[in-house]
Amino acid sequence: MQQELTATDGKIVCYARYRANRKIRPLDIEKSTTRYFSKRLPSRRKETLSFQEIKMKHWNELDGSVFFNKIFSTPIEIGKIALFSLRIENDQPCIGMGFDIPEFPDNLPEKWKNKGFNTCRIGITCNEIKDLQIRNIPMHEIFSVKIKKDNNHFTFEAISNSASIIFKANLISLSGPSVYINGPDDYYFKQ
């Protein structure tokens, strides 16, 4: 049996499938005040279960972004990064990444004001890694990042002209941000 999950505006959000009295859960619907209604659909003989991937648009959507949200007054788009560090821990399937983003905070705390800081560095911690692929060792390059959220995992892709880092993770959380002074010769995001 199949059910359709519909929002109050009439859009079909996702489908839930029932098989042998066991419900396979639909996508977790992000924190929303929209009400959802469920409606049974006619049963089909040959059924496939598919879930929609959701492309995450902003760093602010990740877990651990409380401080990040305080120093940036607007959502910061996931896009270009300058990778600084990549740490892989094999005792627990975990990857940590540190990188600079082109945006700079507009709501600095007092201890950061008037110090000449011009670069923002953030990091992510990714747990329960699967399907890790690293092509070439990334060095001093701008990567284009995409994060997609699926039913029970995230897909992370960072691709540059000569390197790539791709994996799936059960959880991706944001760490930082911090700010520092970057010299004009070392600055990746030329203006």
Side-chain angles (χ1 to χ4, degrees):
M1 184 182 302
Q2 182 176 346
Q3 283 194 336
E4 175 182 289
L5 197 57
T6 310
T8 51
D9 61 1
K11 284 185 180 176
I12 295 173
V13 177
C14 61
Y15 296 99
R17 177 102 52 224
Y18 296 83
R19 187 181 282 166
N21 294 329
R22 200 174 96 212
K23 181 178 178 184
I24 300 172
R25 296 178 54 119
L27 285 171
D28 290 332
I29 297 171
E30 294 183 20
K31 301 168 190 155
S32 173
T33 57
T34 307
R35 300 190 81 179
Y36 297 93
F37 303 97
S38 133
K39 163 176 118 180
R40 287 190 178 187
L41 297 177
S43 179
R44 296 183 197 155
R45 229 169 200 279
K46 197 174 190 180
E47 297 179 15
T48 58
L49 180 63
S50 64
F51 289 103
Q52 172 184 345
E53 281 188 339
I54 299 170
K55 181 180 176 188
M56 299 187 76
K57 295 180 182 175
H58 303 101
W59 294 113
N60 311 62
E61 299 173 34
L62 293 173
D63 285 344
S65 62
V66 174
F67 183 54
F68 189 85
N69 289 330
K70 287 182 180 180
I71 65 171
F72 284 100
S73 61
T74 60
I76 303 302
E77 190 172 338
I78 296 173
K80 305 286 184 203
I81 66 165
L83 186 64
F84 175 73
S85 66
L86 175 64
R87 184 187 78 249
I88 300 172
E89 297 181 19
N90 64 353
D91 62 333
Q92 51 185 331
C94 177
I95 289 180
M97 302 172 95
F99 48 86
D100 296 342
I101 58 174
E103 295 82 8
F104 191 75
D106 56 348
N107 192 18
L108 293 173
E110 284 300 319
K111 67 180 182 178
W112 290 358
K113 289 183 180 177
N114 303 318
K115 306 278 189 209
F117 298 131
N118 61 359
T119 306
C120 180
R121 178 163 293 163
I122 62 175
I124 56 173
T125 302
C126 311
N127 295 312
E128 300 297 322
I129 301 300
K130 298 177 205 154
D131 303 330
L132 173 63
Q133 301 171 29
I134 299 176
R135 183 177 58 87
N136 296 333
I137 296 176
M139 293 182 56
H140 306 291
E141 295 183 30
I142 302 287
F143 284 81
S144 180
V145 172
K146 293 179 186 172
I147 301 175
K148 296 175 187 167
K149 184 177 182 183
D150 200 343
N151 179 35
N152 56 0
H153 68 273
F154 294 87
T155 302
F156 178 91
E157 293 180 3
I159 299 173
S160 73
N161 291 335
S162 64
S164 65
I165 303 166
I166 301 170
F167 58 83
K168 292 180 181 176
N170 283 356
L171 177 67
I172 298 179
S173 59
L174 192 69
S175 58
S178 62
V179 292
Y180 68 97
I181 299 171
N182 200 352
D185 295 338
D186 295 330
Y187 194 64
Y188 291 100
F189 304 107
K190 307 287 184 205
Q191 299 193 4

